[in-house]
């Protein structure tokens, strides 16, 4: 285990690989109830002022990749507005505590982002609290594996599209009027956009839609000084995977097929989101950073 994200070590053994526990919860699940606890960087992420005094909105900030991003952003100097589902209050409280321990403000805004009104409210609450939006991380997502198209309901298809794609559209549309030059929007894609699993028909479809949406929007808003980019994770150990994101039988070997031979941990995603939010990436727009354990993106 690293003491921080800068200490040199072997990435193949930095975190656990197969076998993972075939644990199960009901979606959306809680990080606090996972048997094998993910690493969100609580003990390791070291900030160096890369996002000093930014105002960041992070969706799905309670757990998984979003929690790691919220912790990292706060330790880099940002105030963070945390979006999550009402049933995840316990996880969100923990993240709010960590943000405040970093000396920054945390504002909790629970709600279902598959409704346009909730997306607008999230931005409104941010503007009420801070007067602007500097970083929008659209990270909330729904993933439910279904083996056969015959069993994929219209309700699920609709809910996956609403949560993963429409929310990004509604949030970006609401946030842009409150963004100054230098602001950033980051979409969360997946290796699934490029190598779709047959049992993730709806989910994989949303991830390529996110890519295309972000690349188009990036060109539209670049002249205003707002950069839109994408992070595409590979397999990462989070509640998403143990709440029906994978068939339970696939969990023990989860991530084992990647060149690095193991699943990623949320903490390993945070630096890509920090880079794309910070001024360091001033000439990067419409770009995708893959954090896939070595599986190539086209
Ligand atoms: P996670 O379960 O920790 O986070 C997903 C979050 O989405 C939940 O915590 C929840 O707060 C939020 N959410 C879901 N439905 C919502 C709704 N209707 N309204 C508001 N919020 C809602 O899992 P994670 O793996 O950290 O997922 C974060 C993102 O990473 C997702 O977009 C996911 O598709 C993407 N991703 C994950 C993996 C992986 O292997 N874990 C791989 C590629 C991409
Ligand atoms: Mg969660």
């Amino acid at each position: 285990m690293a003491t921080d994200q800068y200490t040199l070590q072997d990435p193949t053994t930095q975190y656990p690989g197969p076998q993972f526990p075939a644990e199960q919860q009901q979606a959306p699940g809680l990080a606090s109830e996972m048997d094998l606890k993910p690493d969100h960087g609580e003990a390791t992420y070291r900030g160096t002022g890369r996002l000093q005094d930014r105002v960041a909105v992070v969706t799905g900030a309670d757990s998984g990749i979003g929690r790691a991003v919220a912790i990292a952003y706060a330790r880099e100097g940002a105030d963070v507005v945390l979006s999550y589902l009402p049933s995840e209050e316990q996880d969100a409280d923990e993240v709010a505590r960590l943000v405040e321990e970093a000396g920054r403000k945390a504002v909790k805004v629970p709600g279902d982002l598959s409704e346009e009104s909730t997306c607008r409210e999230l931005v409104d609450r941010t503007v009420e609290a801070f007067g602007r939006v500097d970083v929008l991380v659209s990270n909330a997502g729904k993933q439910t594996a279904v083996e056969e198209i015959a069993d994929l309901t219209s309700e699920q298809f609709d809910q996956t599209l609403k949560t993963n794609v429409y929310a990004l559209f509604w949030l970006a549309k609401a946030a842009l009027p409150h963004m100054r030059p230098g602001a950033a929007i980051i979409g969360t894609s997946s290796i699934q956009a490029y190598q779709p699993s047959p049992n993730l028909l709806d989910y994989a479809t949303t991830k390529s839609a996110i890519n295309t949406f972000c690349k188009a929007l990036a060109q539209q808003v670049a002249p205003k000084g707002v950069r839109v980019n994408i992070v595409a994770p590979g397999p990462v150990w989070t509640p998403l995977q143990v709440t029906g994101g994978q068939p339970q039988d696939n969990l023990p070997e989860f991530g084992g097929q990647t060149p690095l031979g193991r699943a990623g941990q949320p903490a390993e995603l945070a630096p890509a989101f920090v880079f794309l939010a910070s001024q360091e990436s001033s000439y990067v727009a419409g770009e995708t950073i893959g954090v896939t354990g070595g599986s190539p993106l086209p």
Side-chain angles (χ1 to χ4, degrees):
M1 172 62 80
T3 50
D4 61 39
Q5 76 272 29
Y6 298 117
T7 305
L8 181 76
Q9 64 185 297
D10 182 348
T12 66
T13 52
Q14 185 169 342
Y15 285 108
Q19 300 276 318
F20 283 96
E23 54 179 275
Q24 283 293 296
Q25 294 182 48
Q26 264 204 333
L30 287 175
S32 62
E33 299 203 343
M34 288 177 75
D35 296 334
L36 177 63
K37 299 277 184 285
D39 180 9
H40 310 93
E42 290 92 337
T44 52
Y45 191 90
R46 179 157 66 90
T48 54
R50 296 163 73 189
L51 299 174
Q52 198 58 45
D53 296 327
R54 305 295 207 282
V55 173
V57 177
V58 180
T59 69
D62 56 297
S63 60
I65 295 166
R67 180 192 289 212
V69 171
I71 293 169
Y73 278 15
R75 292 186 187 174
E76 296 291 356
D79 295 322
V80 191
V81 178
L82 310 169
S83 158
Y84 53 95
L85 285 165
S87 67
E88 300 173 307
E89 195 69 41
Q90 185 191 328
D91 274 358
D93 281 342
E94 174 74 6
V95 181
R97 186 182 64 75
L98 289 159
V99 169
E100 285 163 1
E101 274 179 19
R104 302 306 310 190
K105 292 198 181 90
V107 176
K108 295 190 301 164
V109 188
D112 181 349
L113 298 175
S114 66
E115 304 277 346
E116 182 172 6
S117 56
T118 315
C119 294
R120 285 215 221 97
E121 192 203 327
L122 177 58
V123 172
D124 287 348
R125 290 279 306 278
T126 306
V127 173
E128 268 166 41
F130 300 108
R132 62 179 196 277
V133 180
D134 295 320
V135 185
L136 168 65
V137 175
S138 178
N139 162 78
K142 173 178 166 59
Q143 175 183 334
T144 310
V146 174
E147 295 306 318
E148 306 268 350
I149 190 171
D151 298 322
L152 177 57
T153 63
S154 298
E155 288 71 24
Q156 175 173 327
F157 196 86
D158 206 34
Q159 194 61 23
T160 307
L161 269 284
K162 288 265 166 63
T163 307
N164 298 7
V165 181
Y166 277 70
L168 168 62
F169 163 54
W170 289 326
L171 288 168
K173 188 172 175 178
L176 274 161
H178 305 284
M179 290 183 143
R180 330 171 270 188
I185 296 175
I186 305 170
T188 308
S189 180
S190 170
I191 187 81
Q192 286 291 327
Y194 310 93
Q195 296 175 24
S197 297
N199 59 10
L200 294 177
L201 206 53
D202 53 339
Y203 176 83
T205 300
T206 67
K207 293 299 170 177
S208 56
I210 290 166
N211 282 350
T212 302
F213 178 90
C214 288
K215 289 176 195 174
L217 184 63
Q219 297 172 75
Q220 200 180 107
V221 301
K224 304 183 204 303
V226 176
R227 297 176 301 102
V228 183
N229 287 289
I230 304 155
V231 176
V236 185
W237 186 246
T238 68
L240 195 76
Q241 301 299 352
V242 303
T243 55
Q246 296 288 327
Q248 195 170 359
D249 291 349
N250 290 359
L251 286 174
E253 296 297 331
F254 184 63
Q257 78 292 353
T258 63
L260 285 169
R262 62 168 176 86
Q265 292 291 324
E268 298 181 281
L269 274 294
F273 285 90
V274 171
F275 173 68
L276 292 175
S278 86
Q279 203 60 30
E280 292 166 292
S281 58
S282 54
Y283 202 54
V284 181
E287 184 56 272
T288 307
I289 299 185
V291 187
T292 63
S295 302
L297 300 184

